[in-house]
Amino acid sequence: MIRNLLFSLISGLTLVASAAPHPTTSASLVNQVGSNAVFSQFGFKLNYLPSKWTLTENTTSENNSGQKQIDIKNQTARMSFSFDETKTAVDLETYVRRFLRDYNQFGFEVTGLQSIKNSAKKVTSVILDIGQKNQKTKSRQVFFQNGKKIVTATCIDDVENFDQSTKDCNKILGSFYWN
């Protein structure tokens, strides 16, 4: 609570020169994807964001599990970032595998699972490729861990456009780093 208030206060003070008529509206610097301000509240930043990707109207929201979420999109694809903090440090692959059986129940098929440790960036990640059983959409989920903090990035698009949008998603997520 105090952290959110502090973030709001600092953001307000630093964004006065380019403030929107109403806070956190589309003209606000907070809602400009390239500013990274919206991502930094979750403890990470992105070094690459294509200009054709924009934040959705509802910049931050809570998903069904109560996790905070940020959504960006291009014409057909959508990428969402959700943040979770575990009570104790967990192995990331174990954390991800715990939920794998749930995907099938919701009409998804996991087509790939890969763990990556990048010691240069101090990033541990797990990549999950997912197809919808009705073959209308495909998704890629990338889980990033920093101690007890876990960010889940989900890139989803129609099957026809997925290969192209995955290239953008991979570039975006390849530029991920923890603050």
Side-chain angles (χ1 to χ4, degrees), residues 29 112 125 140:
L29 186 60
S125 59
R140 169 163 285 172

Side-chain angles (χ1 to χ4, degrees), residues 30-39 42 44-46 48-61 69-82 152-157 165 168-173 175-176:
V30 170
N31 284 345
Q32 293 176 12
V33 180
S35 76
N36 261 319
V38 73
F39 300 111
F42 292 123
F44 72 93
K45 290 189 178 183
L46 302 169
Y48 174 76
L49 287 162
S51 58
K52 61 186 173 188
W53 286 75
T54 59
L55 286 167
T56 60
E57 285 288 322
N58 189 7
T59 306
T60 58
S61 61
Q69 183 171 309
I70 302 170
D71 294 326
I72 59 173
K73 64 180 179 176
N74 70 13
Q75 289 180 340
T76 62
R78 184 175 135 226
M79 181 180 279
S80 63
F81 295 87
S82 59
T152 305
T154 304
C155 186
I156 187 168
D157 204 347
S165 60
D168 276 348
C169 291
N170 287 341
K171 286 180 184 177
I172 293 168
L173 297 176
S175 73
F176 179 99

Side-chain angles (χ1 to χ4, degrees), residues 51-174:
S51 58
K52 61 186 173 188
W53 286 75
T54 59
L55 286 167
T56 60
E57 285 288 322
N58 189 7
T59 306
T60 58
S61 61
E62 286 193 14
N63 63 21
N64 294 337
S65 65
Q67 294 176 332
K68 294 276 187 185
Q69 183 171 309
I70 302 170
D71 294 326
I72 59 173
K73 64 180 179 176
N74 70 13
Q75 289 180 340
T76 62
R78 184 175 135 226
M79 181 180 279
S80 63
F81 295 87
S82 59
F83 178 85
D84 191 21
E85 192 159 357
T86 58
K87 292 184 188 335
T88 60
V90 296
D91 176 69
L92 186 58
E93 191 168 332
T94 304
Y95 174 88
V96 172
R97 287 186 182 276
R98 189 173 50 171
F99 301 107
L100 286 182
R101 68 177 177 268
D102 295 338
Y103 286 92
N104 192 37
Q105 293 176 355
F106 292 107
F108 297 98
E109 177 183 11
V110 176
T111 58
L113 173 72
Q114 179 182 6
S115 292
I116 299 172
K117 291 187 191 257
N118 184 335
S119 56
K121 285 186 175 181
K122 299 179 183 174
V123 175
T124 301
S125 59
V126 172
I127 301 171
L128 253 169
D129 287 320
I130 306 160
Q132 196 175 27
K133 287 185 179 176
N134 65 13
Q135 299 185 355
K136 289 186 178 182
T137 64
K138 283 187 176 181
S139 307
R140 169 163 285 172
Q141 282 191 313
V142 181
F143 298 81
F144 297 97
Q145 182 180 30
N146 184 11
K148 298 179 193 176
K149 296 177 182 179
I150 297 174
V151 169
T152 305
T154 304
C155 186
I156 187 168
D157 204 347
D158 301 330
V159 171
E160 305 84 43
N161 301 315
F162 185 74
D163 289 340
Q164 183 59 41
S165 60
T166 301
K167 291 176 185 175
D168 276 348
C169 291
N170 287 341
K171 286 180 184 177
I172 293 168
L173 297 176

